[in-house]
Every structure is written in structure tokens, then in C-alpha cells.
Amino acid sequence: MKHIFILNPAAGPKKAEKTILPRILEAVKDENVDYEIHRTMNVGDGENFVRNRCLAHPGEDIRFYAVGGDGTLNEVANGIFGFPKAEFAFIPAGTGNDFARIFADPRAFLDIKKQLRGRAIPIDLIRYDDRVIVNMLNIGLDCAVVTEVDMLKEKYFLRGPFAYMVGVGVVFGRNRGFHLKVTLEDGRVYDQEFTLVAVGNGAFCGGGFKGVPRAEIDDGLLDVSLVNKVNRRTFASLITKYHKGTHLESPAAGDIITYVKCRSLSIEPKDTMQICVDGEVHCSGRLDISIVPSAIQFSVPEGC
């Protein structure tokens, strides 16, 4: 098997280049594997490289390692989607690294030898338009927080979950609602203001917040969390539980949170909306979202 490392030099505090690349070079030498390193140059470069490589060698057994954050993982997944011979893996070097958190031992994802000895399993993907999502789609507060956190990192050098908590406080202090029309596959329609909407394949977002705690990456279902617009006091009472993933058990949750598992839904703003896709923010109009069961082969590190 060919092992190709898609390394994002800009991910996190440049962890991929400074810390992980030397480990990769040592491990591939010790394990005597056939490998390549590709450093991404800009947004979209990793996806294009992976897709072109798959097109050029359609019958080759290749494992692509996304060495970066959740955004890098998303690019690699979109590059290999539709190529059944290709696998992908995740070596977390970003800020949130949320997809790795769903596994029993997230630290194993930083052990390059365990990665090289990994085993591929089929996992689901979320699909919208002609794109796929590995972990989660967020609209509303979670998405606004990502934008705020980027500014906090640049201005105050905050990092990780603490930066996200500060971002939540700043964004929610504005107490903004987001008017959306959400139509579930069973015909239920919610046309109202929301604090946030999350559609998950994985359970975590924001560097460790378990926003859709019942999500599983291989159950063939989307996990959808619709949080009505709430006042600051109610939200403040739930934020710690939201972080731990225990918020659905709170007595207040039944009045403000609709949580469903389904195969498809649509989300429509009055005009346009910001969406956060695997940690990266984009602008969008109406979204038609569905699950693609067993869509792709994901390599899990040995023993994880």
C-alpha cells in the first residue's frame, strides 16, 4: 500500500510541520513503507491533489493521511469520495481535532506507527450539494463562535476549548437569533428563530463540545439538534452540560431542544446564512442534506 501524507503547514500553531513531520519521517523509515509527503499550498489544494492522484491511479491501494485539522480531513475526504480503493486517515494537528475525539483513544491518532498499522472501516458521510462532511455541520451560534474564535486567537492568542468558551460568551452576549426554515424527512417543519442548528455524523465540535452526543459514524443516520432561541440565563445554565454532552438529560432541554435521528432534511434561510463545515466557515443558501451510509473507508490506528 502507498501511504501519502497530506500535510497542512498552516494548521494549528504550525504543529504539522514542526512536530508531526519529523515523527512521520522516522516512522516510515522504521516501518519501511512506501510513502510520499504533500504539503498543501492553499485552501482546496489537498482535495485537488488527492482527487487527481486517485484519477491517475484508480486501481492503486492508497491511504491518504490528513495531517492538520478537521478542515484538512474534510478536504481529503472530498478528494477520495467515489474512489472505493482509497482510504483516508487523520493525524490531528489543528485546533479542534474534533473527529478524533469520538474514538476510544484519541492519543493513538498521534502515534504514527499505530497509524501505519491501522485498519480501515466503513463510515458514513453527510452530503449536501456536491460536497461531503466527515464530522459536523453547524449553523447559528456554533458557526458564529468559530468566526469569533479565529479573531480571539489572532488578537489574544487564546487556544483550544478555552478560546471556544470565550467565543461562546462573546457571541451569546449579543443574544442573536437565526431565522431558518428546517424541514425534516418526516414532514415536520420548524420555521422560526434558532440559537443553533447542528447536523452531526461525529459527536464533537468546537474543540471538545459534545453537541450531538448520540451521534455514531456508522449507523446510517444524521443526528440533528435544533436549539430554539433562548435567553442568556437559560443558555448559561446549559453550557457546561452542552460541553459534556449531558444537556439532553436536563429538564430544560425538552422545552428548547428538538433532537432527532433521520436520513435527510433541508435548511433554508430567508436570504443567505453562514455554515460551519468541519470547522470551516462558508456562506450558503438553501441546503438539502442527507446521509451517505458506509460512504468511505477510514483507517483507525492500531489498537484504537
Side-chain angles (χ1 to χ4, degrees), residues 159-215:
R159 293 288 182 268
F162 180 69
Y164 189 85
M165 287 288 278
V166 174
V168 167
V170 171
V171 171
F172 198 76
R174 300 170 188 150
N175 202 27
R176 180 188 172 194
F178 302 85
H179 198 116
L180 302 168
K181 180 181 178 181
V182 179
T183 305
L184 301 178
E185 68 173 340
D186 62 7
R188 280 182 288 172
V189 177
Y190 301 85
D191 192 351
Q192 63 186 69
E193 279 195 301
F194 295 96
T195 289
L196 65 90
V197 172
V199 182
N201 187 35
F204 292 89
C205 65
F209 281 73
K210 202 171 185 180
V212 283
R214 298 171 185 168

Side-chain angles (χ1 to χ4, degrees), residues 1 51 99 101 119 123 149-150 165 202 213 220 244 268 292 295 298 303:
M1 174 178 283
R51 182 180 295 112
F99 189 68
R101 297 176 190 274
R119 177 179 61 89
I123 66 167
V149 167
D150 286 341
M165 287 288 278
K244 295 179 180 178
E268 187 173 0
V292 187
F298 180 72

Side-chain angles (χ1 to χ4, degrees), residues 200-234:
N201 187 35
F204 292 89
C205 65
F209 281 73
K210 202 171 185 180
V212 283
R214 298 171 185 168
E216 298 177 32
I217 60 171
D218 59 357
D219 64 352
L221 295 169
L222 303 165
D223 278 57
V224 181
S225 178
L226 310 175
V227 181
N228 301 343
K229 188 173 185 293
V230 296
N231 59 45
R232 295 182 182 92
R233 183 176 181 178
T234 301

Side-chain angles (χ1 to χ4, degrees), residues 22 39 67 159 168 174 193 203 262-263 272 277:
R39 291 177 175 84
V67 188
R159 293 288 182 268
V168 167
R174 300 170 188 150
E193 279 195 301
C262 61
R263 291 182 296 271
T272 59
V277 174

